Amino acid sequence: MKFNKICVLGLGYIGLPTASTFATNGIQVIGVDVNLQVVETLRSGKPHIFEPGLRTLVQAALGSGNLVISDQPEPADGFIIAVPTPFYADKRADLRFVISAAEAIVPHLRPGNLVVLESTSPPRTTLDIVAPILERSGLKVGPDIHLAYSPERVLPGQILRELIENARVIGGIDRSSAQAGNDLYTLFVRGEIIQTDATTAEMVKLMENTYRDVNIAIANEFARLSDRFGVDVWEAISLANRHPRVNILRPGPGVGGHCISVDPWFLVEAAPDITPLIHTARKVNDAQPHFVVGLVQRLLGVSSQAGLSKKRVAVLGLGYKPDVDDFRESPALEVACLLSKAGANVRAYDPYQAENHSLGLPTMSSLEEALAEAELILLLVNHTLLRTLDPLQIAALTPARLVLDAVNAWPVEAWSAAGFEIHRLGASTARPLS
Ligand code: SAJ
């Protein structure tokens, strides 16, 4: 199938890089977003999200004349739906954006078109939700229009490279839909493109992120066990990982972001009776911020959360993971909020969101401000800008001499030499060999 023009619905972390990459590869692209503010800022060449290299890519795409930003879809050869799939408070998938994007396409559909759903979705969404909506056009999916599910698998922080280089799974509702999807993504994907059916492709995406969630949960439980038994979990993990078939991930303050902390719920919701492991892993990771608060209490010598009242804690790092500006479902932010709710005097700083008042607690404009009166420094995110701080310089900025590093970022010897009593998550009761 040949594509001269496509429409990408949803210009977020996935849709915007995808639309721009198609455009810089010579395809005419209508990038559609329902948020008028996003449309306005993008038209002026300014992405509303941070991702390394994205601004340059968007400007190149707009400059080429191939990318046009709009709040409405229009007729095209292919349509890509890349809208968010959040969840409701009871963890059920909220498919309203997928449904309204599919509905928005209906008036523009023509025979021979391809529609691709990229949004992470519960199994059978393409067949049971999207297909019937598209058929309101009077056209039949299969004989008249191609329909496929193709999950995005890019890692925030490395989206532009992974979009092109990662293997891509295309799940068609029939063979010719999969082939049409293949023809579309071949326009820029350099990784292998593998064709399958739509529901398998949906499962693949959910399985990948669930696999990672379960593996992080076990790392977090290992941290708790190590804390109880006086072991340094980081040393134990690095020794266990010398086994040729073991690769334990990193414990930390929990699992955040819009993907791994959300997607496993789609499987639990779809089949609660056969997913106890996946459900438990979610609960383990969701409880990890409370484990960190418990460590803070212990280090400050208080026996209950009430004892945290007025304790002065400098929280460094609030994003959901290192070197991104994304705070969605961030466990670090949750730790900071839990401490603040318990009455602690929290001064939080994140190099990617200085002086932000919309996060649930205000962030400081500078590291200095966060540290100025602290009694404990709590490092929650392994941002490069925080990992590389010089402990001697920090010692001059704060009266605090107590440190909890929840991500094993700071070298213990250097921080101890600078006068700090430094503890790490999963190692704070461990004693080195004498
Ligand atoms: N985390 C740990 N320990 C680790 C690794 C991660 O605690 O060893 C935490 C991170 O700090 C973060 C969370 O897990 O809070 C998720 O981070 P991540 O880097 O594992 O993944 P995401 O959510 O940024 O991106 C994932 C990726 N999926 C997989 O690696 C299987 C990415 O490829 C997907 O495209 C993305 O989800 C998505 O959009 O679904």
PDB file of all heavy atoms in Angstrom, residues 120 152-156 162 205 208-209 212 216 249-252 254-256 259-260 263 320-322 331, ligand 1:
ATOM      1  N   THR A 120      -1.638   1.941  24.214  1.00  0.00           N
ATOM      2  CA  THR A 120      -1.677   0.691  24.984  1.00  0.00           C
ATOM      3  C   THR A 120      -3.100   0.435  25.436  1.00  0.00           C
ATOM      4  O   THR A 120      -3.732   1.316  26.022  1.00  0.00           O
ATOM      5  CB  THR A 120      -0.748   0.821  26.202  1.00  0.00           C
ATOM      6  OG1 THR A 120       0.532   1.227  25.732  1.00  0.00           O
ATOM      7  CG2 THR A 120      -0.621  -0.502  26.939  1.00  0.00           C
ATOM      8  N   GLU A 152       3.592   1.078  20.549  1.00  0.00           N
ATOM      9  CA  GLU A 152       4.869   1.806  20.652  1.00  0.00           C
ATOM     10  C   GLU A 152       5.646   1.147  21.780  1.00  0.00           C
ATOM     11  O   GLU A 152       5.057   0.656  22.736  1.00  0.00           O
ATOM     12  CB  GLU A 152       4.614   3.293  20.905  1.00  0.00           C
ATOM     13  CG  GLU A 152       3.781   3.615  22.151  1.00  0.00           C
ATOM     14  CD  GLU A 152       4.566   3.531  23.427  1.00  0.00           C
ATOM     15  OE1 GLU A 152       5.798   3.478  23.345  1.00  0.00           O
ATOM     16  OE2 GLU A 152       3.943   3.510  24.499  1.00  0.00           O
ATOM     17  N   ARG A 153       6.960   1.092  21.658  1.00  0.00           N
ATOM     18  CA  ARG A 153       7.777   0.423  22.683  1.00  0.00           C
ATOM     19  C   ARG A 153       8.976   1.276  23.075  1.00  0.00           C
ATOM     20  O   ARG A 153       9.971   0.780  23.597  1.00  0.00           O
ATOM     21  CB  ARG A 153       8.266  -0.915  22.138  1.00  0.00           C
ATOM     22  CG  ARG A 153       7.123  -1.760  21.662  1.00  0.00           C
ATOM     23  CD  ARG A 153       7.583  -2.764  20.652  1.00  0.00           C
ATOM     24  NE  ARG A 153       7.683  -4.092  21.232  1.00  0.00           N
ATOM     25  CZ  ARG A 153       8.211  -5.137  20.592  1.00  0.00           C
ATOM     26  NH1 ARG A 153       8.688  -4.985  19.388  1.00  0.00           N
ATOM     27  NH2 ARG A 153       8.258  -6.305  21.165  1.00  0.00           N
ATOM     28  N   VAL A 154       8.869   2.570  22.785  1.00  0.00           N
ATOM     29  CA  VAL A 154      10.035   3.433  22.983  1.00  0.00           C
ATOM     30  C   VAL A 154      10.211   3.836  24.438  1.00  0.00           C
ATOM     31  O   VAL A 154       9.246   4.003  25.179  1.00  0.00           O
ATOM     32  CB  VAL A 154       9.922   4.693  22.100  1.00  0.00           C
ATOM     33  CG1 VAL A 154      10.083   4.320  20.649  1.00  0.00           C
ATOM     34  CG2 VAL A 154       8.576   5.378  22.316  1.00  0.00           C
ATOM     35  N   LEU A 155      11.464   3.998  24.817  1.00  0.00           N
ATOM     36  CA  LEU A 155      11.788   4.346  26.199  1.00  0.00           C
ATOM     37  C   LEU A 155      11.891   5.861  26.339  1.00  0.00           C
ATOM     38  O   LEU A 155      12.700   6.486  25.642  1.00  0.00           O
ATOM     39  CB  LEU A 155      13.119   3.704  26.578  1.00  0.00           C
ATOM     40  CG  LEU A 155      13.452   3.701  28.064  1.00  0.00           C
ATOM     41  CD1 LEU A 155      12.537   2.722  28.804  1.00  0.00           C
ATOM     42  CD2 LEU A 155      14.895   3.317  28.292  1.00  0.00           C
ATOM     43  N   PRO A 156      11.065   6.479  27.210  1.00  0.00           N
ATOM     44  CA  PRO A 156      11.213   7.920  27.425  1.00  0.00           C
ATOM     45  C   PRO A 156      12.673   8.276  27.724  1.00  0.00           C
ATOM     46  O   PRO A 156      13.336   7.589  28.497  1.00  0.00           O
ATOM     47  CB  PRO A 156      10.300   8.178  28.625  1.00  0.00           C
ATOM     48  CG  PRO A 156       9.230   7.128  28.485  1.00  0.00           C
ATOM     49  CD  PRO A 156       9.945   5.912  27.952  1.00  0.00           C
ATOM     50  N   GLU A 162      14.844   5.095  19.551  1.00  0.00           N
ATOM     51  CA  GLU A 162      14.158   3.795  19.627  1.00  0.00           C
ATOM     52  C   GLU A 162      12.994   3.699  18.636  1.00  0.00           C
ATOM     53  O   GLU A 162      12.669   2.615  18.161  1.00  0.00           O
ATOM     54  CB  GLU A 162      13.680   3.532  21.060  1.00  0.00           C
ATOM     55  CG  GLU A 162      14.839   3.272  22.018  1.00  0.00           C
ATOM     56  CD  GLU A 162      14.457   2.416  23.219  1.00  0.00           C
ATOM     57  OE1 GLU A 162      13.266   2.135  23.405  1.00  0.00           O
ATOM     58  OE2 GLU A 162      15.366   2.032  23.975  1.00  0.00           O
ATOM     59  N   LYS A 205       2.444  -6.012  24.001  1.00  0.00           N
ATOM     60  CA  LYS A 205       2.741  -4.747  24.686  1.00  0.00           C
ATOM     61  C   LYS A 205       2.508  -4.873  26.192  1.00  0.00           C
ATOM     62  O   LYS A 205       3.326  -4.463  27.016  1.00  0.00           O
ATOM     63  CB  LYS A 205       1.841  -3.647  24.104  1.00  0.00           C
ATOM     64  CG  LYS A 205       1.849  -2.359  24.861  1.00  0.00           C
ATOM     65  CD  LYS A 205       3.184  -1.679  24.721  1.00  0.00           C
ATOM     66  CE  LYS A 205       3.298  -0.506  25.658  1.00  0.00           C
ATOM     67  NZ  LYS A 205       4.463   0.299  25.401  1.00  0.00           N
ATOM     68  N   GLU A 208       5.135  -7.101  27.923  1.00  0.00           N
ATOM     69  CA  GLU A 208       6.459  -6.484  28.104  1.00  0.00           C
ATOM     70  C   GLU A 208       6.502  -5.635  29.373  1.00  0.00           C
ATOM     71  O   GLU A 208       7.404  -5.752  30.202  1.00  0.00           O
ATOM     72  CB  GLU A 208       6.789  -5.588  26.897  1.00  0.00           C
ATOM     73  CG  GLU A 208       7.071  -6.354  25.626  1.00  0.00           C
ATOM     74  CD  GLU A 208       7.070  -5.467  24.377  1.00  0.00           C
ATOM     75  OE1 GLU A 208       6.786  -4.252  24.484  1.00  0.00           O
ATOM     76  OE2 GLU A 208       7.326  -5.994  23.301  1.00  0.00           O
ATOM     77  N   ASN A 209       5.499  -4.777  29.507  1.00  0.00           N
ATOM     78  CA  ASN A 209       5.524  -3.867  30.654  1.00  0.00           C
ATOM     79  C   ASN A 209       5.193  -4.589  31.964  1.00  0.00           C
ATOM     80  O   ASN A 209       5.704  -4.233  33.026  1.00  0.00           O
ATOM     81  CB  ASN A 209       4.585  -2.685  30.408  1.00  0.00           C
ATOM     82  CG  ASN A 209       5.241  -1.650  29.496  1.00  0.00           C
ATOM     83  OD1 ASN A 209       6.397  -1.799  29.124  1.00  0.00           O
ATOM     84  ND2 ASN A 209       4.503  -0.617  29.139  1.00  0.00           N
ATOM     85  N   ARG A 212       8.270  -6.330  33.220  1.00  0.00           N
ATOM     86  CA  ARG A 212       9.197  -5.403  33.894  1.00  0.00           C
ATOM     87  C   ARG A 212       8.683  -5.043  35.287  1.00  0.00           C
ATOM     88  O   ARG A 212       9.438  -4.978  36.243  1.00  0.00           O
ATOM     89  CB  ARG A 212       9.378  -4.151  33.034  1.00  0.00           C
ATOM     90  CG  ARG A 212      10.602  -3.328  33.404  1.00  0.00           C
ATOM     91  CD  ARG A 212      11.046  -2.505  32.228  1.00  0.00           C
ATOM     92  NE  ARG A 212      12.009  -1.482  32.589  1.00  0.00           N
ATOM     93  CZ  ARG A 212      13.325  -1.685  32.685  1.00  0.00           C
ATOM     94  NH1 ARG A 212      13.834  -2.878  32.473  1.00  0.00           N
ATOM     95  NH2 ARG A 212      14.146  -0.687  32.997  1.00  0.00           N
ATOM     96  N   ILE A 216      10.641  -5.653  38.771  1.00  0.00           N
ATOM     97  CA  ILE A 216      11.011  -4.563  39.694  1.00  0.00           C
ATOM     98  C   ILE A 216      10.424  -4.861  41.074  1.00  0.00           C
ATOM     99  O   ILE A 216      11.050  -4.591  42.100  1.00  0.00           O
ATOM    100  CB  ILE A 216      10.545  -3.192  39.161  1.00  0.00           C
ATOM    101  CG1 ILE A 216      11.218  -2.890  37.819  1.00  0.00           C
ATOM    102  CG2 ILE A 216      10.892  -2.087  40.162  1.00  0.00           C
ATOM    103  CD1 ILE A 216      10.648  -1.689  37.069  1.00  0.00           C
ATOM    104  N   LEU A 249      16.611  -6.540  38.505  1.00  0.00           N
ATOM    105  CA  LEU A 249      16.568  -5.095  38.239  1.00  0.00           C
ATOM    106  C   LEU A 249      16.883  -4.311  39.516  1.00  0.00           C
ATOM    107  O   LEU A 249      17.260  -4.885  40.532  1.00  0.00           O
ATOM    108  CB  LEU A 249      15.210  -4.730  37.657  1.00  0.00           C
ATOM    109  CG  LEU A 249      14.925  -5.354  36.285  1.00  0.00           C
ATOM    110  CD1 LEU A 249      13.534  -4.983  35.801  1.00  0.00           C
ATOM    111  CD2 LEU A 249      15.959  -4.926  35.247  1.00  0.00           C
ATOM    112  N   ARG A 250      16.682  -2.991  39.448  1.00  0.00           N
ATOM    113  CA  ARG A 250      17.076  -2.130  40.565  1.00  0.00           C
ATOM    114  C   ARG A 250      15.895  -1.821  41.478  1.00  0.00           C
ATOM    115  O   ARG A 250      14.837  -1.402  40.998  1.00  0.00           O
ATOM    116  CB  ARG A 250      17.619  -0.794  40.027  1.00  0.00           C
ATOM    117  CG  ARG A 250      18.887  -0.901  39.224  1.00  0.00           C
ATOM    118  CD  ARG A 250      19.209   0.427  38.565  1.00  0.00           C
ATOM    119  NE  ARG A 250      19.552   1.450  39.543  1.00  0.00           N
ATOM    120  CZ  ARG A 250      20.781   1.659  40.010  1.00  0.00           C
ATOM    121  NH1 ARG A 250      21.775   0.914  39.584  1.00  0.00           N
ATOM    122  NH2 ARG A 250      21.003   2.602  40.898  1.00  0.00           N
ATOM    123  N   PRO A 251      16.075  -2.004  42.786  1.00  0.00           N
ATOM    124  CA  PRO A 251      15.036  -1.511  43.695  1.00  0.00           C
ATOM    125  C   PRO A 251      15.037   0.014  43.708  1.00  0.00           C
ATOM    126  O   PRO A 251      15.968   0.639  43.192  1.00  0.00           O
ATOM    127  CB  PRO A 251      15.460  -2.062  45.066  1.00  0.00           C
ATOM    128  CG  PRO A 251      16.842  -2.575  44.914  1.00  0.00           C
ATOM    129  CD  PRO A 251      17.230  -2.567  43.465  1.00  0.00           C
ATOM    130  N   GLY A 252      14.013   0.597  44.270  1.00  0.00           N
ATOM    131  CA  GLY A 252      13.935   2.055  44.322  1.00  0.00           C
ATOM    132  C   GLY A 252      12.697   2.471  45.080  1.00  0.00           C
ATOM    133  O   GLY A 252      12.083   1.660  45.779  1.00  0.00           O
ATOM    134  N   GLY A 254       9.815   2.957  44.009  1.00  0.00           N
ATOM    135  CA  GLY A 254       8.556   2.459  43.442  1.00  0.00           C
ATOM    136  C   GLY A 254       8.590   2.559  41.934  1.00  0.00           C
ATOM    137  O   GLY A 254       9.614   2.915  41.347  1.00  0.00           O
ATOM    138  N   VAL A 255       7.467   2.246  41.321  1.00  0.00           N
ATOM    139  CA  VAL A 255       7.383   2.237  39.857  1.00  0.00           C
ATOM    140  C   VAL A 255       6.400   3.308  39.413  1.00  0.00           C
ATOM    141  O   VAL A 255       5.260   3.342  39.877  1.00  0.00           O
ATOM    142  CB  VAL A 255       6.928   0.859  39.349  1.00  0.00           C
ATOM    143  CG1 VAL A 255       6.592   0.906  37.871  1.00  0.00           C
ATOM    144  CG2 VAL A 255       8.030  -0.166  39.602  1.00  0.00           C
ATOM    145  N   GLY A 256       6.865   4.187  38.532  1.00  0.00           N
ATOM    146  CA  GLY A 256       5.987   5.270  38.088  1.00  0.00           C
ATOM    147  C   GLY A 256       5.940   5.377  36.587  1.00  0.00           C
ATOM    148  O   GLY A 256       6.295   4.448  35.861  1.00  0.00           O
ATOM    149  N   CYS A 259       3.313   4.121  31.983  1.00  0.00           N
ATOM    150  CA  CYS A 259       3.246   2.827  31.278  1.00  0.00           C
ATOM    151  C   CYS A 259       3.264   1.655  32.245  1.00  0.00           C
ATOM    152  O   CYS A 259       2.280   0.947  32.412  1.00  0.00           O
ATOM    153  CB  CYS A 259       4.420   2.735  30.316  1.00  0.00           C
ATOM    154  SG  CYS A 259       4.547   4.179  29.263  1.00  0.00           S
ATOM    155  N   ILE A 260       4.420   1.469  32.898  1.00  0.00           N
ATOM    156  CA  ILE A 260       4.596   0.238  33.676  1.00  0.00           C
ATOM    157  C   ILE A 260       3.701   0.219  34.909  1.00  0.00           C
ATOM    158  O   ILE A 260       3.273  -0.842  35.353  1.00  0.00           O
ATOM    159  CB  ILE A 260       6.083   0.084  34.019  1.00  0.00           C
ATOM    160  CG1 ILE A 260       6.834  -0.078  32.690  1.00  0.00           C
ATOM    161  CG2 ILE A 260       6.314  -1.108  34.932  1.00  0.00           C
ATOM    162  CD1 ILE A 260       8.227  -0.534  32.779  1.00  0.00           C
ATOM    163  N   ASP A 263      -0.149  -0.307  32.843  1.00  0.00           N
ATOM    164  CA  ASP A 263      -0.512  -1.377  31.906  1.00  0.00           C
ATOM    165  C   ASP A 263      -0.851  -2.715  32.557  1.00  0.00           C
ATOM    166  O   ASP A 263      -1.788  -3.393  32.108  1.00  0.00           O
ATOM    167  CB  ASP A 263       0.602  -1.568  30.865  1.00  0.00           C
ATOM    168  CG  ASP A 263       0.861  -0.292  30.075  1.00  0.00           C
ATOM    169  OD1 ASP A 263       0.099   0.682  30.242  1.00  0.00           O
ATOM    170  OD2 ASP A 263       1.823  -0.265  29.298  1.00  0.00           O
ATOM    171  N   TYR A 320       9.478  10.650  37.604  1.00  0.00           N
ATOM    172  CA  TYR A 320       9.178   9.227  37.760  1.00  0.00           C
ATOM    173  C   TYR A 320      10.386   8.348  37.490  1.00  0.00           C
ATOM    174  O   TYR A 320      10.431   7.195  37.900  1.00  0.00           O
ATOM    175  CB  TYR A 320       7.970   8.831  36.906  1.00  0.00           C
ATOM    176  CG  TYR A 320       8.262   8.343  35.506  1.00  0.00           C
ATOM    177  CD1 TYR A 320       8.516   6.991  35.254  1.00  0.00           C
ATOM    178  CD2 TYR A 320       8.270   9.216  34.425  1.00  0.00           C
ATOM    179  CE1 TYR A 320       8.762   6.531  33.972  1.00  0.00           C
ATOM    180  CE2 TYR A 320       8.509   8.765  33.146  1.00  0.00           C
ATOM    181  CZ  TYR A 320       8.764   7.429  32.923  1.00  0.00           C
ATOM    182  OH  TYR A 320       9.010   6.984  31.651  1.00  0.00           O
ATOM    183  N   LYS A 321      11.399   8.915  36.807  1.00  0.00           N
ATOM    184  CA  LYS A 321      12.646   8.171  36.606  1.00  0.00           C
ATOM    185  C   LYS A 321      13.737   9.156  36.178  1.00  0.00           C
ATOM    186  O   LYS A 321      13.453  10.328  35.913  1.00  0.00           O
ATOM    187  CB  LYS A 321      12.448   7.054  35.600  1.00  0.00           C
ATOM    188  CG  LYS A 321      12.292   7.494  34.155  1.00  0.00           C
ATOM    189  CD  LYS A 321      12.331   6.253  33.275  1.00  0.00           C
ATOM    190  CE  LYS A 321      12.500   6.620  31.828  1.00  0.00           C
ATOM    191  NZ  LYS A 321      12.655   5.436  30.990  1.00  0.00           N
ATOM    192  N   PRO A 322      14.990   8.688  36.108  1.00  0.00           N
ATOM    193  CA  PRO A 322      16.092   9.612  35.835  1.00  0.00           C
ATOM    194  C   PRO A 322      15.994  10.339  34.497  1.00  0.00           C
ATOM    195  O   PRO A 322      15.575   9.765  33.485  1.00  0.00           O
ATOM    196  CB  PRO A 322      17.324   8.685  35.823  1.00  0.00           C
ATOM    197  CG  PRO A 322      16.926   7.472  36.566  1.00  0.00           C
ATOM    198  CD  PRO A 322      15.453   7.327  36.392  1.00  0.00           C
ATOM    199  N   PRO A 331       6.618   7.842  41.886  1.00  0.00           N
ATOM    200  CA  PRO A 331       6.724   7.388  43.282  1.00  0.00           C
ATOM    201  C   PRO A 331       7.515   8.374  44.134  1.00  0.00           C
ATOM    202  O   PRO A 331       7.266   8.503  45.332  1.00  0.00           O
ATOM    203  CB  PRO A 331       7.439   6.041  43.180  1.00  0.00           C
ATOM    204  CG  PRO A 331       8.083   6.009  41.844  1.00  0.00           C
ATOM    205  CD  PRO A 331       7.331   6.949  40.951  1.00  0.00           C
TER     206      PRO A 331
HETATM  207  N1  SAJ B   1      12.426   1.229  37.633  1.00  0.00           N
HETATM  208  C1  SAJ B   1      12.918   0.665  38.797  1.00  0.00           C
HETATM  209  N2  SAJ B   1      13.913  -0.253  38.698  1.00  0.00           N
HETATM  210  C2  SAJ B   1      14.455  -0.612  37.499  1.00  0.00           C
HETATM  211  C3  SAJ B   1      13.930  -0.054  36.313  1.00  0.00           C
HETATM  212  C4  SAJ B   1      12.903   0.884  36.417  1.00  0.00           C
HETATM  213  O1  SAJ B   1      12.476   0.958  39.905  1.00  0.00           O
HETATM  214  O2  SAJ B   1      15.379  -1.437  37.493  1.00  0.00           O
HETATM  215  C5  SAJ B   1      11.333   2.211  37.723  1.00  0.00           C
HETATM  216  C6  SAJ B   1      11.683   3.571  37.116  1.00  0.00           C
HETATM  217  O3  SAJ B   1      12.361   4.377  38.039  1.00  0.00           O
HETATM  218  C7  SAJ B   1      10.311   4.097  36.774  1.00  0.00           C
HETATM  219  C8  SAJ B   1       9.559   2.839  36.348  1.00  0.00           C
HETATM  220  O4  SAJ B   1      10.277   1.745  36.901  1.00  0.00           O
HETATM  221  O5  SAJ B   1       9.658   4.636  37.905  1.00  0.00           O
HETATM  222  C9  SAJ B   1       9.424   2.648  34.859  1.00  0.00           C
HETATM  223  O6  SAJ B   1      10.624   3.021  34.192  1.00  0.00           O
HETATM  224  P1  SAJ B   1      11.226   2.204  32.951  1.00  0.00           P
HETATM  225  O7  SAJ B   1      12.445   2.896  32.498  1.00  0.00           O
HETATM  226  O8  SAJ B   1      11.353   0.772  33.290  1.00  0.00           O
HETATM  227  O9  SAJ B   1      10.076   2.242  31.851  1.00  0.00           O
HETATM  228  P2  SAJ B   1       9.186   3.410  31.192  1.00  0.00           P
HETATM  229  O10 SAJ B   1       7.863   3.399  31.869  1.00  0.00           O
HETATM  230  O11 SAJ B   1       9.886   4.699  31.079  1.00  0.00           O
HETATM  231  O12 SAJ B   1       9.043   2.808  29.711  1.00  0.00           O
HETATM  232  C10 SAJ B   1       8.481   1.512  29.559  1.00  0.00           C
HETATM  233  C11 SAJ B   1       9.379   0.698  28.619  1.00  0.00           C
HETATM  234  N3  SAJ B   1       8.997  -0.701  28.672  1.00  0.00           N
HETATM  235  C12 SAJ B   1       9.882  -1.685  28.978  1.00  0.00           C
HETATM  236  O13 SAJ B   1      11.035  -1.457  29.240  1.00  0.00           O
HETATM  237  C13 SAJ B   1       9.360  -3.087  28.958  1.00  0.00           C
HETATM  238  C14 SAJ B   1       9.268   1.237  27.207  1.00  0.00           C
HETATM  239  O14 SAJ B   1       9.972   0.397  26.297  1.00  0.00           O
HETATM  240  C15 SAJ B   1       7.793   1.328  26.783  1.00  0.00           C
HETATM  241  O15 SAJ B   1       7.648   1.849  25.477  1.00  0.00           O
HETATM  242  C16 SAJ B   1       7.097   2.268  27.752  1.00  0.00           C
HETATM  243  O16 SAJ B   1       7.168   1.662  29.054  1.00  0.00           O
HETATM  244  C17 SAJ B   1       5.663   2.439  27.323  1.00  0.00           C
HETATM  245  O17 SAJ B   1       5.369   3.482  26.710  1.00  0.00           O
HETATM  246  O18 SAJ B   1       4.868   1.526  27.516  1.00  0.00           O
END
